[in-house]
Amino acid sequence: MKLSKRLTAIDTLISQHHDIIWDCCCDHGYLGMALLKRAAANQVIFVDIVATLMDDLSAQLSSINKLQKTCDKKPQWQVLCQDVGKIEIAKNKSQVVVIAGIGGELLLSLMQQIIANNALDNLEHVRFILCPVHHTYKLRIGLKTLGLGLISEQIVYDNKRFYEVIEVSFNSQNEISNTGQSMWNLNHAQHKAYKQQLINHYNKMLNKDAVYYQKVITDYRGLGDS
């Protein structure tokens, strides 16, 4: 299965071998299976709360165990049908947690649960790669409040939609900006289009909370001033 541009961007960020990679809200598990195939980790753990998806994924992984046999490191996999917020981060293990394909508010809630449910010492060995489908402004504010720092960020245009891929960790000292300051190239037509799309969206939200959303609009409009 060929990965989408969005999943390819995430896959590319995982360039070093890890002990554990978590593919959360994994849907059909395409990213995790690609990571498993190239032995990106000792163990790939697929997590989603939708039981039918997880049953289908388990059956598919069981039927293609040849993926493991073709790799020298023989990576292992596990499928968990559970709330992503309840994952248990192992101690002293190099780990990547990928959460993608859900809204920014839900994603922030899951991050808050993961951090509340795991020791900070364990979380210091983790990189989080996040790709929400919307509400990135609120997500970024929340991540900053949780004490996470930015590693990288990028805009991906995939199947006529814009996505932000945000990589963060507790070890990074780089501040997370509300608008993703470092990912923009406003000489790029797609980036200009995405900026205008966001401004148009938040203009429609002004009747719900004029003070808050006017600040959001001002922040995005100010991107070209830096």
Side-chain angles (χ1 to χ4, degrees), residues 55-67:
D55 289 344
D56 290 345
L57 181 56
S58 292
Q60 187 176 4
L61 287 165
S62 296
S63 69
I64 56 174
N65 270 336
K66 60 183 180 181
L67 287 178

Side-chain angles (χ1 to χ4, degrees), residues 62-216:
S62 296
S63 69
I64 56 174
N65 270 336
K66 60 183 180 181
L67 287 178
Q68 296 185 25
K69 295 175 183 177
T70 59
C71 300
D72 292 338
K73 299 190 178 189
K74 295 183 180 178
Q76 302 296 310
W77 55 267
Q78 185 178 4
V79 173
L80 300 177
C81 183
Q82 66 171 60
D83 188 334
V84 169
K86 296 179 180 178
I87 66 173
E88 297 180 8
I89 303 297
K91 187 175 183 179
N92 297 324
K93 298 283 187 181
S94 168
Q95 297 175 74
V96 176
V97 174
V98 178
I99 310 177
I102 59 174
E105 291 179 328
L106 175 57
L107 202 160
L108 178 59
S109 174
L110 294 177
M111 287 292 292
Q112 290 167 337
Q113 292 175 57
I114 291 169
I115 290 166
N117 293 335
N118 289 276
L120 185 57
D121 287 348
N122 297 1
L123 293 168
E124 287 179 347
H125 298 278
V126 179
R127 283 191 301 141
F128 295 93
I129 301 176
L130 313 174
C131 185
V133 295
H134 47 56
H135 296 152
T136 56
Y137 189 93
K138 284 186 177 179
L139 172 62
R140 289 170 173 279
I141 291 173
L143 295 174
K144 186 163 48 176
T145 301
L146 289 170
L148 289 151
L150 183 69
I151 299 174
S152 73
E153 55 190 355
Q154 60 183 294
I155 298 168
V156 178
Y157 186 64
D158 182 15
N159 197 24
K160 299 181 180 180
R161 290 192 64 171
F162 291 101
Y163 299 92
E164 297 177 25
V165 179
I166 310 166
E167 183 184 13
V168 297
S169 81
F170 282 105
N171 287 327
S172 172
Q173 301 302 311
N174 299 318
E175 185 175 350
I176 300 169
S177 77
N178 296 352
T179 56
Q181 193 75 31
S182 68
M183 70 182 181
W184 295 91
N185 175 6
L186 292 175
N187 293 319
H188 194 297
Q190 284 185 349
H191 287 210
K192 283 183 179 179
Y194 181 42
K195 176 185 173 183
Q196 192 57 52
Q197 177 180 302
L198 288 168
I199 291 171
N200 292 344
H201 167 71
Y202 287 116
N203 267 315
K204 294 175 182 176
M205 302 294 287
L206 283 170
N207 63 331
K208 294 188 175 181
D209 187 338
V211 174
Y212 173 79
Y213 287 111
Q214 186 57 60
K215 182 184 184 308
V216 177

